Amino acid sequence: MVALEKAPEASTGLALRIENLSHGFALDGQHLPVLERVSLDVAPGEFVALLGPSGCGKSTLLRLVAGLEPADSGRLLADGEPITGPDPSRVVVFQDPTLYPWRRVWDNVALGLEAQGLLKTHAARVDEALDKVGLSPFARAYPRQLSGGMAQRVALARALVNQPRLLILDEPLGKLDSLTRITMQKELIDLWQRQGYTALLVTHDVEEALLLANRVIVFSDRPAKIQAQLSIDRPYPRHRDDPYLVDLRRQILGLLGLGESW
């Protein structure tokens, strides 16, 4: 098990275990392998980033961890219990905020509690989640009145209202402009440090992975296998020009086949 560096002091996160996981899809009558014998342990409260070539199976792995579909073979365990389907303790934040345009911000954030029949007794959680992401003044706004970064904050609040123990992040900042993305990276770390959940992030941005994660997992091309695991021995906040991070970025780009050209 990899030791954590500067993880939240009081972790509420769950432990994730992926054992010998393989998965694929049917394509034109043939089996297309996507993941091949992937094994990974994620400690409670750890922030792990997944990097790899586009289409190698990273997002597929997140869907399996979320319980949105069953794996072909292998095991997925949350706190030692098999993952057999979705659960409010494991919440996904996608690249697209997917907000309902006819619902105000407060009502979009309340969707999870409403679906579970908990809104009447736990409505205060919605206000707390909006406060955590700095959007309390916009509770009555509609999605069309928000910037891209604000809309993504609403998606984060919608996840946090369920008090997740594992936050599954599938390129949540991928569509943001560079300045908003830098701001949201800091906010993601602040939320993780305050809340203590386990975080699993898919990103194509090597620098982003190094700035956010305790550990970076580098996958091969499809069918994806783990090529390398790198622990990031730096406290937060991290700096892009840190020579240690610059060297790790060079190593990771080499593993991804980009070498010295970048």
Side-chain angles (χ1 to χ4, degrees), residues 11 24 32 64 80 88 111 120 129 138 167 182 189 213 242 251 262:
S11 172
L32 177 69
L64 298 177
L111 277 169
K120 287 186 178 180
F138 294 89
L167 192 60
I182 290 170
I189 285 298
D242 181 341
Q251 290 181 44
W262 292 84

Side-chain angles (χ1 to χ4, degrees), residues 2-259:
V2 176
L4 300 188
E5 296 293 338
K6 307 299 182 183
E9 293 182 3
S11 172
T12 59
L14 59 75
L16 176 66
R17 170 162 287 185
I18 301 169
E19 293 182 349
N20 206 28
L21 190 74
S22 294
H23 193 65
F25 302 105
L27 182 65
D28 295 330
Q30 295 185 331
H31 180 73
L32 177 69
V34 175
L35 299 167
E36 186 173 303
R37 303 185 67 177
V38 173
S39 293
L40 178 66
D41 282 325
V42 180
E46 191 176 7
F47 198 129
V48 173
L50 310 181
L51 285 169
S54 181
C56 75
K58 302 181 299 297
S59 293
T60 297
L61 180 59
L62 293 194
R63 290 181 59 81
L64 298 177
V65 169
L68 299 177
E69 57 186 277
D72 290 344
S73 63
R75 293 206 305 167
L76 285 158
L77 305 172
D79 284 343
E81 296 296 322
I83 294 175
T84 57
D87 188 273
S89 67
R90 292 175 274 110
V91 179
V92 186
V93 178
F94 295 103
Q95 185 178 93
D96 189 333
T98 60
L99 306 179
Y100 289 117
W102 60 88
R103 295 180 69 122
R104 296 180 189 268
V105 164
W106 197 97
D107 299 305
N108 268 286
V109 174
L111 277 169
L113 295 177
E114 189 177 319
Q116 298 174 67
L118 299 174
L119 186 55
K120 287 186 178 180
T121 55
H122 293 78
R125 280 200 210 168
V126 181
D127 298 317
E128 291 168 4
L130 285 170
D131 184 59
K132 286 171 186 172
V133 300
L135 284 180
S136 295
F138 294 89
R140 300 294 296 164
Y142 286 99
R144 67 178 180 272
Q145 298 171 304
L146 305 177
S147 67
M150 292 167 72
Q152 198 57 270
R153 286 191 187 96
V154 177
L156 279 170
R158 186 175 56 194
L160 294 173
V161 79
N162 293 300
Q163 298 180 341
R165 299 183 58 224
L166 173 63
L167 192 60
I168 302 167
L169 302 159
D170 192 0
E171 288 238 63
L173 311 183
K175 291 186 176 180
L176 302 180
D177 65 83
S178 59
L179 293 179
T180 304
R181 186 166 187 155
I182 290 170
T183 300
M184 287 296 296
Q185 287 168 350
K186 182 180 183 301
E187 292 182 1
L188 275 177
I189 285 298
D190 289 345
L191 281 169
W192 167 69
Q193 290 182 312
R194 291 201 307 267
Q195 299 302 116
Y197 47 72
T198 306
L200 195 61
L201 166 73
V202 160
T203 178
H204 286 98
D205 187 329
V206 176
E207 186 178 80
E208 181 169 89
L210 293 171
L211 289 171
L212 300 185
N214 299 132
R215 186 161 44 121
V216 174
I217 312 299
V218 183
F219 284 93
S220 69
D221 206 347
R222 189 180 62 244
K225 310 176 188 68
I226 292 177
Q227 286 197 84
Q229 302 189 40
L230 298 91
S231 294
I232 315 303
D233 186 15
R234 279 295 186 272
Y236 299 96
R238 294 173 181 165
H239 303 285
R240 286 169 167 77
D241 57 355
D242 181 341
Y244 173 85
L245 297 182
V246 171
D247 182 63
L248 282 178
R249 180 178 181 273
R250 187 179 299 112
Q251 290 181 44
I252 292 170
L253 289 173
L255 289 167
L256 295 173
L258 296 175

